[in-house]
């Protein structure tokens, strides 16, 4: 869903070894990824040498010339095995998050709206859970049973939630739902596990 206008006057927000988050004047996030990597909404994957050059910059504009666009739409049906689900739940059980006890309490009580913004980092674990929950709802063609005020969380997390509400998700979320691909569990400290748990809790609920 990238456009030429969204790639003008980008400013660095956060840089990591394999990904860099930039933001344009409209407040949209553009994520540069070092190949190979999962593709995220608003993401562009670069070869290692090009990524190394971009990683050094704090401001830039890009022009769309060529490249292969990939769909981030959900599969039509779920293929998560019992074993994959158990491993994902185990990963969350061992996750380190200062808010984990509160998160578990809210999840057990299905207080989904109170999860917004809860947790540390650029994408709090509560938001990651919500992205996974929304993904499973969207896959089954069901209405999201709550409204979210995205001003109540971090800008980057709001970016991913906004895309989720519009039916766009990362490669790893789609692969986890489609075939139980557990590469999602390696994403972030607890982000992948929280997202996978959101998918599983929604599927169980449905």
């Amino acid at each position: 869903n990238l456009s030429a206008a969204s790639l003008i006057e980008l400013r660095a927000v956060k840089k990591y070894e394999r990904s860099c988050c930039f933001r344009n004047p409209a407040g949209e996030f553009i994520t540069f990824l070092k190949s190979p990597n999962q593709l995220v909404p608003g993401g562009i994957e670069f070869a290692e040498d090009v990524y190394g050059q971009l990683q050094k910059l704090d401001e830039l504009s890009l022009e769309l010339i060529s490249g292969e666009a990939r769909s981030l739409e959900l599969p039509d049906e779920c293929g998560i095995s019992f074993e994959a689900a158990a491993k994902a739940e185990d990963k969350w059980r061992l996750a380190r998050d200062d808010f984990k006890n509160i998160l578990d309490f809210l999840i057990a009580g299905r207080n989904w709206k109170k999860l917004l913004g809860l947790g540390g980092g650029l994408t709090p674990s509560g938001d990651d859970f919500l992205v996974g929950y929304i993904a499973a709802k969207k896959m089954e063609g069901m209405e999201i049973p709550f409204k979210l005020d995205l001003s109540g969380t971090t800008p980057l997390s709001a970016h991913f939630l906004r895309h989720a509400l519009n039916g766009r998700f990362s490669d790893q979320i789609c692969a986890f739902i489609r075939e139980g691909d557990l590469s999602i569990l390696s994403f972030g400290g607890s982000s992948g596990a929280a997202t996978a748990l959101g998918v599983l809790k929604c599927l169980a609920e449905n």
Side-chain angles (χ1 to χ4, degrees):
N1 64 309
L2 291 170
S3 66
S6 69
L7 300 178
I8 304 300
E9 297 181 25
L10 304 177
R11 294 178 181 271
V13 176
K14 197 76 174 178
K15 298 181 182 180
Y16 301 97
E17 181 184 351
R18 302 192 60 81
S19 64
C20 295
C21 295
F22 281 72
R23 203 173 184 184
N24 63 23
E28 300 170 309
F29 279 88
I30 309 297
T31 305
F32 299 154
L33 305 157
K34 181 165 73 172
S35 181
N37 207 331
Q38 71 152 333
L39 190 64
V40 298
I44 308 175
E45 195 174 27
F46 292 97
E48 185 174 352
D49 57 337
V50 179
Y51 177 82
Q53 297 175 46
L54 294 171
Q55 193 179 34
K56 298 174 184 176
L57 302 174
D58 291 323
E59 298 181 17
L60 78 159
S61 294
L62 297 178
E63 181 181 353
L64 285 174
I65 296 175
S66 64
E68 180 183 347
R70 299 212 307 271
S71 170
L72 297 179
E73 294 182 358
L74 292 166
D76 294 329
E77 57 185 33
C78 175
I80 303 172
S81 67
F82 174 81
E83 291 78 11
K87 288 180 180 178
E89 290 177 340
D90 284 344
K91 179 76 172 183
W92 172 250
R93 198 172 293 117
L94 298 172
R96 295 181 179 180
D97 189 304
D98 292 340
F99 296 85
K100 189 173 183 304
N101 289 339
I102 302 173
L103 288 161
D104 285 338
F105 176 77
L106 293 174
I107 290 168
R110 298 169 62 184
N111 293 314
W112 309 137
K113 289 179 69 172
K114 292 185 179 180
L115 292 171
L116 184 70
L118 188 60
L122 286 177
T123 60
S125 295
D127 297 356
D128 297 322
F129 178 95
L130 289 171
V131 168
Y133 184 93
I134 292 168
K137 282 288 186 189
K138 290 283 186 181
M139 183 202 70
E140 297 194 343
M142 302 178 74
E143 290 292 322
I144 309 303
F146 47 76
K147 300 289 184 182
L148 294 175
D149 178 3
L150 298 183
S151 66
T153 188
T154 66
L156 183 60
S157 202
H159 164 82
F160 287 127
L161 282 164
R162 193 173 295 111
H163 278 285
L165 292 168
N166 285 303
R168 293 187 291 269
F169 303 87
S170 72
D171 277 344
Q172 288 182 338
I173 295 173
C174 295
F176 177 66
I177 293 176
R178 182 171 53 250
E179 58 201 35
D181 186 334
L182 294 176
S183 63
I184 190 174
L185 300 182
S186 64
F187 188 62
S190 58
S191 287
T195 305
L197 184 70
V199 171
L200 296 174
K201 291 296 184 183
C202 183
L203 292 173
E205 177 184 281
N206 294 347

